[in-house]
Amino acid sequence: MAQESSLRAKIFAGAQLTTLSFVLRTALRLISTVILTRLLAPEIYGVFALVLMYHYILEMFSDLGIRSVILTKEGEIDDNFLCTCWTIALLRGFILAVVACAIAAIVFGLQNLEVFAADSPYTAPVLPWALAALGATIIISGTVSPVIYVQERDMVFGKVTLIEIVTNVLGLIATIALAYYLRSVWALVLGDTLRAVIRVVLSFVLFSGPKMRLMLDRAASGIVINRGKWIVGHSVLSALMGAGDRLVLGFVMPSSTFGYYFIARQLVDMVQTFLGAIDTQLGLQVFTHLHQSTTEKFRRNYYRYRLFFDAIAGLSTGGLIVLAPLIVGILFDDRYQEVAEITQILVWAILLIGPMLLRSAFNAVRRFKEMTMLSLVS
């Protein structure tokens, strides 16, 4: 009973911190959107949407689930295991940087062959260079200290939340300053890179732990690879589900319309990000703990856990359908009015958040095959 009370207290504290972080991130995103849409043209957002899309796809197509492996590993987490996880993440970052440069070269070649429509975001001369720069951001992100995941494993979220808040505040200030001076997509690309740098620095400054060094311990590598192969399959399907629309629409939409679509997705993603952040922060730990109970109790607690997510998803969907024109009218100038209609269509996807929580439950009990199949169905 005392153990359950302790878990409940940790869940409540974690949910509070996640909510605080989300509220601040949402406020910062709204401030960013209001300011940047007045400094940058819709076409620039169309190009940046492509850069973010390829960043997301590269990350997900090679996701070995380092965080998930640390959160769900049985027993203690020793220094060799952490250093091995850090080394694998670093190697993965360099491989992805090479792939990003290859994609940039392909886009550059297709531009010279005039394959794309004249108004496509793919015709922007800056796009290949922005995609190549993406490789540096990925390498930097891969050097974050894995000790941050040990803190999440122990459900100690104070410093984890602090890192997210500081990273977003400083990143926003830098991005706005860059947008004011550059007035190009480089403001958004460089702002994203600076966020990665800040997060890595804070992960080492705020968390004490073993000194990271290159190491590939055989036992630790085996755990990461054996569990990661299932997570990769799940992540590939999640990437196709999450970015497949932009992958296709980027080829057929004019750059300005693709920019409207990107901003509409940002509005809808605010709700999805909030609920996803709570599940990401707590889901694996909660379901790993509940796995020790009977099947019937596990099932009952799963639906109790999901009830909050379903309620927020339903209220948010109805609210955005009604209020999207008002919100867009307040936040943006007349150039962005089409965002409201696109938002009213995209908002229905929020209702799928609840059923997808089952993936966290499957991941926690290491039923990776079922987790992958659920992603395939979705």
Side-chain angles (χ1 to χ4, degrees), residues 83 86 132 149 210 227 251 274 276-277 286 291 319 331 335 346 358:
C83 288
W86 185 80
Y149 306 133
R227 297 185 181 180
F251 288 103
F274 170 56
V286 170
H291 181 48
L331 294 180
R335 295 177 298 170
L346 295 178
L358 192 56

Side-chain angles (χ1 to χ4, degrees), residues 77-115:
I77 303 292
D78 58 33
D79 293 356
N80 288 348
F81 186 82
L82 288 178
C83 288
T84 298
C85 288
W86 185 80
T87 302
I88 291 174
L90 183 61
L91 293 173
R92 170 179 170 269
F94 277 102
I95 293 171
L96 291 182
V98 172
V99 175
C101 290
I103 294 173
I106 292 171
V107 171
F108 182 76
L110 293 176
Q111 285 180 340
N112 289 333
L113 294 173
E114 298 183 352
V115 171

Side-chain angles (χ1 to χ4, degrees), residues 195-274:
R195 283 188 179 88
V197 172
I198 294 167
R199 185 169 187 266
V200 169
V201 171
L202 290 177
S203 72
F204 283 98
V205 171
L206 293 182
F207 295 116
S208 59
K211 183 179 180 180
M212 290 297 110
R213 62 190 186 279
L214 295 177
M215 172 182 287
L216 287 174
D217 180 79
R218 178 174 295 183
S221 300
I223 293 174
V224 174
I225 293 171
N226 287 334
R227 297 185 181 180
K229 64 184 180 183
W230 290 107
I231 296 174
V232 166
H234 157 71
S235 297
V236 167
L237 294 170
S238 296
L240 293 175
M241 180 178 65
D245 55 345
R246 281 160 284 182
L247 186 62
V248 175
L249 296 177
F251 288 103
V252 299
M253 277 185 175
S255 187
S256 57
T257 305
F258 195 56
Y260 300 145
Y261 184 83
F262 171 70
I263 293 172
R265 278 295 300 260
Q266 282 192 314
L267 293 176
V268 173
D269 285 348
M270 286 184 184
V271 180
Q272 294 176 314
T273 299
F274 170 56

